[in-house]
Amino acid sequence: NAGVTQTPKFRVLKTGQSMTLLCAQDMNHEYMYWYRQDPGMGLRLIHYSVGEGTTAKGEVPDGYNVSRLKKQNFLLGLESAAPSQTSVYFCASKEDGHYNEQFFGPGTRLTVL
Amino acid sequence: EDKVVQSPLSLVVHEGDTVTLNCSYEVTNFRSLLWYKQEKKAPTFLFMLTSSGIEKKSGRLSSILDKKELFSILNITATQTGDSAVYLCAVRTGTASKLTFGTGTRLQVTL
């Protein structure tokens, strides 16, 4: 089991460029989440999905879009990157059920110049 | 707005010391409180607490929740340099199991 994987690991963008971050999990988890982590801010939820074909907004969704076309994949898109989106992005997944923890991927470090 | 506050923000201790990390919260629709350890990359799960007063233990780490006073503590005894990390507290709320994280406590254990 690879667990939760994220691609790419690093990326540098120019302001206005677009990109997609891919999260994949092989644990057959229903729930998937995208977070960003900034110094002094902890992890903040961007978007999440409670199942294939569903998405919902989290705490900081502006400037991002997501899709969950397949159960194992959760894509995070930046349509027009801004320097404020420079961050480390983590994906997580969770099995259905109240007492299951979220498993995190290794993160993607994104810099927007 | 849900809020999770951790203290201290950072801590430097000598190997062998005992440390206590604090987490307080104000949230609606509380489900559980989780502790994670983050070294260089992904946070890794330590504990999940749902009931007051029941200590969870794993080796030198232990944690307890007080739902009346809305806080949790994470204790690490006989610290080792491998315990150096950021410790994250998160509260799970609602039916979608969303987590609200604190900013973390950075622990450095020196020889």
Side-chain angles (χ1 to χ4, degrees):
Chain A
N1 275 1
V4 181
T5 57
Q6 292 182 233
T7 50
K9 290 186 171 46
F10 304 94
R11 186 72 186 268
V12 178
L13 288 179
K14 293 182 181 174
T15 296
Q17 287 185 315
S18 64
M19 78 163 295
T20 300
L21 282 68
L22 170 64
C23 175
Q25 51 95 3
D26 62 1
M27 298 175 282
N28 202 35
H29 286 173
E30 287 293 331
Y31 294 62
M32 296 186 76
Y33 308 84
W34 275 108
Y35 295 90
R36 59 179 288 173
Q37 187 174 35
D38 303 296
M41 300 288 287
L43 280 94
R44 292 180 292 167
L45 182 65
I46 305 171
H47 285 280
Y48 63 99
S49 168
V50 299
E52 181 179 310
T54 75
T55 62
K57 292 180 181 179
E59 184 187 349
V60 288
D62 293 342
Y64 305 95
N65 56 72
V66 287
S67 65
R68 183 108 182 261
L69 298 178
K70 292 183 180 179
K71 186 177 184 178
Q72 63 267 33
N73 295 337
F74 195 28
L75 278 63
L76 178 72
L78 286 73
E79 287 185 351
S80 179
S84 60
Q85 294 177 305
T86 293
S87 189
V88 180
Y89 292 85
F90 286 99
C91 175
S93 71
K94 188 185 92 63
E95 200 171 351
D96 196 5
H98 290 310
Y99 303 112
N100 298 310
E101 73 271 23
Q102 291 184 17
F103 291 86
F104 284 82
T108 294
R109 184 174 292 277
L110 176 66
T111 301
V112 183
L113 302 174
Chain B
E1 185 184 328
D2 293 342
K3 200 159 101 171
V4 178
V5 178
Q6 293 187 244
S7 64
L9 290 180
S10 67
L11 195 52
V12 180
V13 300
H14 292 297
E15 204 171 42
D17 287 351
T18 293
V19 297
T20 297
L21 310 183
N22 304 295
C23 176
S24 63
Y25 61 91
E26 286 179 41
V27 302
T28 52
N29 202 6
F30 174 91
R31 299 283 186 171
S32 57
L33 186 144
L34 294 86
W35 286 95
Y36 283 86
K37 178 182 181 182
Q38 185 177 26
E39 295 177 83
K40 298 225 186 283
K41 291 190 176 178
T44 54
F45 174 74
L46 293 174
F47 297 112
M48 181 184 296
L49 302 147
T50 55
S51 302
S52 276
I54 298 175
E55 187 182 49
K56 291 280 183 98
K57 207 166 163 60
S58 176
R60 297 176 293 102
L61 278 68
S62 63
S63 184
I64 197 159
L65 173 67
D66 185 326
K67 285 169 77 171
K68 185 179 172 191
E69 300 298 330
L70 308 181
F71 77 90
S72 173
I73 60 172
L74 175 68
N75 279 323
I76 309 175
T77 59
T79 51
Q80 301 171 357
T81 55
D83 295 326
S84 296
V86 175
Y87 290 83
L88 299 168
C89 173
V91 174
R92 187 170 74 87
T93 59
T95 54
S97 296
K98 292 183 288 182
L99 294 180
T100 300
F101 281 84
T103 54
T105 293
R106 182 175 297 276
L107 173 67
Q108 186 180 350
V109 182
T110 62
L111 291 170

